[in-house]
């Protein structure tokens, strides 16, 4: 078997390593030299050397694109198909918008080239040891690529979802579910940190990773990250590529309620400090209708903490920006005063 890979970064490069170990000949194109892949037996060509790439692969060629979503896919596809023949297969393994994938499939099918929108999950570790593929496209094209994808996927991790666009649509929904799960786990961390008990987070997440209802790779990753020495230095700013925004927009257009996924996207926005005036406006209005104070107020703090007689309300967690230590309201005041 032979596989062409365009883009030999963290995903494409790890797929190339896995493929060569499974006796799949890999020819790749990349902007970098990638000596570590050459040592593994991967033939690495310069970016854009698509004629040479095509010459080194037997027909029907199977080529996997591991490139960022957007216009770059269209640009590279335009150049690539000039050197391909009828019956060849191009797979887009990135997080492309599924409607873009449908458009691209129509375009290359005019030349008899199969285009498979190949949603790929598992991150770099999955690409290295066994990925999860959600594939949309014509059945005949999938059958050509299937033996290679079967070798590169984890057991049960290969699915031909349906017609063009369906693979990237399912992957996008997958990413939305991922966002919701991440937010839920993060809120669990917040609750544990703000609670009345001094629990060891790493021990808790290790416990949850063994037999609990919520055991999962994400819970295991949280456990492992907490154990890292630099965990406390992780910044609060969260960056993302924005594809789940497309899912939320499509849901609104179709009036499909997805409150958890929508809120998880909003929480990412909040981490970036994009709202410079909203909380100022709320404070001003609260002062207007109830003469509520501006900024911190010890009397209001005391009422918030002691207002419920049985005192079981959740401790609100604040952060000392310099020390990054939990500062609970009850730690800021003497309840005996």
């Amino acid at each position: 078997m032979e596989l062409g890979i365009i883009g030999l970064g963290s995903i494409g490069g790890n797929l190339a390593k896995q493929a060569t170990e499974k006796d799949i000949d890999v020819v790749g194109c990349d902007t970098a030299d990638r000596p570590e892949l050459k040592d593994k037996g991967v033939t690495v060509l310069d970016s854009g050397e698509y004629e040479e790439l095509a010459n080194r692969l037997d027909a029907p060629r199977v080529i996997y694109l591991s490139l960022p979503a957007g216009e770059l896919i269209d640009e590279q596809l335009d150049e690539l198909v000039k050197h391909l023949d009828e019956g060849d297969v191009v797979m887009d393994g990135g997080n492309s918008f599924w409607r873009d994938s449908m458009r691209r499939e129509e375009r290359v099918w005019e030349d008899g080239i199969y285009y498979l929108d190949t949603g790929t999950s598992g991150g770099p570790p999955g690409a290295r040891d066994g990925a999860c593929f959600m594939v949309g496209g014509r059945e005949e094209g999938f059958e050509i690529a299937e033996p290679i994808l079967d070798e590169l996927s984890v057991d049960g991790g290969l699915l031909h979802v349906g017609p063009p666009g369906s693979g990237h649509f399912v992957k996008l929904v997958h990413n939305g579910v991922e966002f919701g799960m991440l937010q839920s786990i993060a809120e669990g961390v917040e609750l544990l940190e703000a609670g009345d008990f001094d629990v060891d987070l790493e021990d808790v997440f290790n416990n949850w990773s063994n037999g609990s209802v919520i055991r999962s790779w994400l819970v295991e990753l949280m456990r492992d990250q907490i154990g890292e020495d630099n965990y406390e230095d992780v910044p609060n700013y969260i960056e993302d590529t924005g594809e789940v925004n497309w899912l939320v927009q499509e849901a609104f257009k179709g009036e499909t309620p997805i409150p958890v996924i929508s809120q998880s996207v909003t929480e990412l926005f909040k981490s970036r400090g994009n709202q410079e005036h909203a909380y100022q406006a709320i404070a001003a209005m609260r002062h207007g209708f109830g003469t509520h104070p501006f900024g911190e107020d010890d009397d209001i703090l005391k009422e918030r903490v002691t207002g419920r007689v049985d005192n079981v309300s959740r401790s609100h967690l604040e952060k000392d920006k310099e020390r990054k230590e939990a500062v609970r309201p009850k730690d800021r005041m003497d309840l005996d005063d």
Side-chain angles (χ1 to χ4, degrees):
M1 289 185 285
E2 297 177 334
L3 175 64
I5 302 179
I6 297 175
L8 295 170
S10 59
I11 300 299
N14 277 326
L15 283 175
K17 292 176 183 177
Q18 185 194 169
T20 57
E21 292 171 357
K22 294 180 176 177
D23 297 324
I24 299 173
D25 294 332
V26 178
V27 182
C29 291
D30 199 80
T31 56
D33 193 40
R34 306 294 180 187
E36 74 282 3
L37 296 181
K38 291 179 179 179
D39 290 343
K40 286 281 188 179
V42 177
T43 300
V44 179
L45 306 174
D46 289 339
S47 177
E49 288 194 357
Y50 297 146
E51 183 176 6
E52 182 65 17
L53 175 72
N55 289 337
R56 288 175 177 264
L57 297 172
D58 293 332
R61 304 173 182 88
V62 177
I63 298 173
Y64 183 96
L65 305 182
S66 186
L67 300 171
E71 293 182 355
L72 180 64
I73 299 289
D74 290 299
E75 294 168 0
Q76 299 305 307
L77 189 61
D78 285 342
E79 293 302 314
L80 176 63
V81 296
K82 295 175 183 178
H83 308 288
L84 300 184
D85 299 316
E86 182 177 340
D88 288 345
V89 178
V90 177
M91 299 184 286
D92 178 5
N95 286 321
S96 292
F97 184 44
W98 80 87
R99 298 191 195 280
D100 286 334
S101 299
M102 294 170 68
R103 169 179 55 79
R104 291 166 184 151
E105 194 278 338
E106 288 182 1
R107 189 174 76 203
V108 302
W109 182 244
E110 293 177 358
D111 295 323
I113 297 170
Y114 295 103
Y115 191 86
L116 304 179
D117 46 290
T118 308
T120 304
S121 183
R128 186 67 182 85
D129 300 316
C132 174
F133 296 111
M134 296 144 262
V135 186
R138 297 174 189 266
E139 179 72 36
E140 300 85 352
F142 175 74
E143 290 175 355
I144 295 171
E146 183 177 13
I148 293 175
L149 292 175
D150 190 53
E151 287 289 332
L152 298 177
S153 64
V154 69
D155 288 344
L158 174 60
L159 176 66
H160 181 230
V161 181
S166 62
H168 276 153
F169 174 73
V170 170
K171 177 56 164 54
L172 184 56
V173 174
H174 160 284
N175 287 5
V177 172
E178 172 191 303
F179 269 40
M181 293 172 68
L182 290 171
Q183 181 63 29
S184 178
I185 292 169
E187 291 175 10
V189 171
E190 193 75 45
L191 285 166
L192 292 169
E193 289 276 29
D196 292 331
F197 303 99
D198 185 16
V199 299
D200 187 300
L201 284 182
E202 187 176 1
D203 287 345
V204 169
F205 275 88
N206 184 61
N207 175 262
W208 288 355
S209 297
N210 292 278
S212 81
V213 171
I214 62 170
R215 64 187 183 276
S216 65
W217 188 37
L218 293 178
V219 169
E220 292 173 0
L221 289 176
M222 190 68 245
R223 174 201 63 197
D224 296 342
Q225 289 298 313
I226 292 170
E228 295 290 334
D229 292 337
N230 63 344
Y231 174 70
E232 291 297 328
D233 297 327
V234 174
N236 289 325
Y237 191 100
I238 304 170
E239 200 68 271
D240 80 303
T241 53
E243 65 266 12
V244 179
N245 300 6
W246 311 335
L247 185 66
V248 173
Q249 292 162 6
E250 288 291 321
F252 284 7
K253 188 183 342 182
E255 298 187 1
T256 303
I258 52 169
V260 173
I261 295 174
S262 300
Q263 184 61 31
S264 69
V265 173
T266 301
E267 292 298 325
L268 262 64
F269 296 161
K270 288 167 63 177
S271 81
R272 298 166 192 163
N274 289 338
Q275 288 189 331
E276 298 180 4
H277 311 292
Y279 300 117
Q280 180 184 38
I282 292 172
M285 289 183 286
R286 284 174 54 82
H287 183 77
F289 69 68
T291 64
H292 297 291
F294 295 123
E296 296 183 5
D297 184 281
D298 289 341
D299 291 334
I300 297 297
L301 169 63
K302 185 172 184 179
E303 183 175 348
R304 182 166 77 246
V305 174
T306 63
R308 185 169 177 172
V309 175
D310 57 9
N311 196 27
V312 295
S313 60
R314 174 185 182 274
S315 296
H316 174 70
L317 184 66
E318 294 184 354
K319 292 289 183 181
D320 183 306
K321 292 184 179 179
E322 293 183 0
R323 293 181 297 144
K324 285 193 174 182
E325 295 178 359
V327 181
R328 298 175 176 83
K330 64 183 180 182
D331 297 330
R332 289 173 46 202
M333 58 183 291
D334 186 353
L335 295 180
D336 294 330
D337 288 348

